[in-house]
Amino acid sequence: MSLLHLSDLSVLRLTCPVVDRVSFDVSEGELIGLIGPNGAGKTTLLRAVLGLLPFKGHASTAALSVSQRARHVAWMPQAREIAWPVTVDTLVMLGRVPHLAGGAKPSEADRRAVADAISDMGLAGFEQRKATELSGGEQARALIARVLAQDTPLILADEPTAGLDPGHQITTMEVFARATQSGKSVLVSMHDLGLAARYCTRLILLHQGGVVADGLPDTVLTAQNLAKVFGITAHVERTAQGLIFQPLSVLS
Amino acid sequence: MRVFVILSALVVILFGASLLIGPAGFGPAESLRALLGEQGDAVTLVMREIRLPRAILGVMVGISLGLSGAALQGYLRNPLAEPGLIGVSGSAALGAVIALQTGVAASFALALPLAALTGALIAVFLILALAGPRGGSLTLILAGIAISALAGALTSLALNLSPNPFAVSEIIFWMMGSLADRSFTHVWLALPFMAVGWVLLARLGRGLDALTLGEDAAEALGIRLDRLRLMLVLGVAASVGAATAVAGAIGFVGLVVPHMLRPFVGARPGALLWASALGGAAMVLAADIAVRLVLPDRDLQLGVLMAIVGAPLFLHLIYKTRRQL
């Protein structure tokens, strides 16, 4: 079943297309890395899919009502905002907002979803700590836990691994990979191509608002694409541990 | 839950104290008998026509200011937001000042509060027109600052052009804010507006909780930010506009109360709404009792006392917060 269908989606800033006729489908169980240089339109594309920006073309999520959409797709913005010194528990419980009727108390199922998300992100024991007093990386994990607690078929995350230590970068990607085993799909924008190459089942390469390549990591991370889009050379090797990607030099 | 009980008890106690304390100096038993009894003597008159409406207005004004302050802080995700921020209280004060300056206020009993409500209403239309259709918070702050500045300038103009010094002193006294000499007419005038405002603001809890994660994340959690902001502006305008209309400009309640109570409700903006409503009521009642006790014969104004107590309290809170950072 398709979780997301985009056809000819464009976002214009005045008359300049920031996202230019993007079409793709997301089916169940995919971990998709959305890659591209700064300003390629990754965040804009994700925000348009969520209905946070006006766009032209078709997005299946746009047909859903606001509350249906909140139960279908979860969103982790790049700006990691935690405005008030709430506990980690309270913060992660915000992911249950779309599932709670106005003013309803969280049910046993809600509490379990929150507890699972907290332990998935390695935050067990942090439940009663104030989220604003955690380190940057711990806050990022708490916010990822909030997204997991929302328990939606589709997760969109904007650079969720930025600022995490190597161990937690890997944990985060593994948590996403585990989520895809139950049929969920995750669409993450990221700059760490090595991490993307190892964990994503599919990469979508954006350049100047358009899709340049879409497919398995080794078919997307070709020397030609890397030169054209990022202006770099890289060492790419298929090993027993999976695809290894290491950027080498900037092309002049 | 314990916070709720404590705050409610505090409001009830202060409400009782407000009924029992006053320049007429009746004993508590006598006062209560007069309030509940049937005899139509002077004590009954004082209790029912002076102290009861004054205490009720104290509660109403306190709820309005506390609730609005908490809602605005939650929406703007800024502990420095206060009900005056969106320009409604400034505009309501301007309406009242114009009524006082032109002498319309003397023509009939409700002329002044009605003029103030009109001022608040105009401010709401201006804010909504200026802030635009999307639910952003920055445009709301900017529109509010612009309207506050304009209302302040026009208030100064009204004072500047005032025909006689008595009008000026009357205006200045009114602007200090007070609950003295109010009647049930004021209660009945303000109550419908405030009640509408309270209902609108009390329903924002879920949205404000979600806004802890920022505007984008809240919207993706199914919160309609445009609708939330509309309800917020209308709710603050109705309750604070009505409060300013009957009691003048009373500052600091909407700023300090949410700030003080935030740690007791786990910093959740939704839970802070009702806590601040109760806390605001308690604070206004306490201040209104204090003005009667501190300088009973000098007509100390409520707004003045509130600022004198509120500012150092706020400094203390800033000092404490600074150490945590």
Side-chain angles (χ1 to χ4, degrees), chain A residues 47 50-52 54 66-67 70 73 75 77 79 81-87 90-91 94-95 97-98 100-103 143 146 150, chain B residues 73-79 134 206 208-217 219-224 262-263 266-269 324:
Chain A
R47 294 188 71 216
L50 289 151
L52 300 174
V66 174
S67 55
V73 47
W75 168 230
E81 190 172 341
I82 303 175
W84 304 111
V86 295
T87 61
T90 309
L91 186 81
L94 289 176
V97 163
L100 292 169
L143 290 170
R146 190 282 293 175
Q150 199 168 336
Chain B
Q73 291 187 4
Y75 174 71
L76 297 173
R77 283 154 286 146
N78 189 327
R134 280 190 68 85
R206 211 164 89 105
L208 295 180
D209 279 346
L211 269 173
T212 303
L213 297 166
E215 295 189 357
D216 253 24
E219 209 166 347
L221 279 169
I223 305 299
R224 297 273 305 271
R262 183 165 292 118
R268 286 173 45 229
Q324 282 165 11

Side-chain angles (χ1 to χ4, degrees), chain B residues 123-156:
Chain B
V124 174
F125 283 119
L126 276 175
I127 291 162
L128 292 178
L130 277 171
R134 280 190 68 85
S137 57
L138 191 61
T139 47
L140 183 69
I141 303 179
L142 293 175
I145 289 173
I147 291 164
S148 295
L150 186 63
L154 291 175
T155 305
S156 300

Side-chain angles (χ1 to χ4, degrees), chain A residues 6 9 11 13 19 34 41-55 59 61-62 69 73 75-79 156-158 187 189, chain B residues 134 214-217 219-220 225:
Chain A
L6 304 181
L9 185 140
V11 180
R13 183 162 291 151
V19 171
L34 188 60
K42 302 183 294 293
T43 302
T44 308
L45 172 63
L46 293 175
R47 294 188 71 216
V49 167
L50 289 151
L52 300 174
L53 284 176
F55 60 88
T61 42
R69 190 157 56 219
V73 47
W75 168 230
M76 180 177 170
Q78 195 174 353
L156 306 188
D158 200 0
L187 181 56
S189 81
Chain B
R134 280 190 68 85
E215 295 189 357
D216 253 24
E219 209 166 347
L225 288 184

Side-chain angles (χ1 to χ4, degrees), chain B residues 161-186:
Chain B
L161 299 180
S162 181
N164 64 65
F166 298 108
V168 172
S169 101
E170 200 182 355
I171 290 171
I172 290 177
F173 254 78
W174 184 85
M175 287 204 301
M176 289 175 184
S178 171
L179 290 173
D181 306 324
R182 303 300 195 267
S183 69
F184 266 110
T185 327
H186 291 95

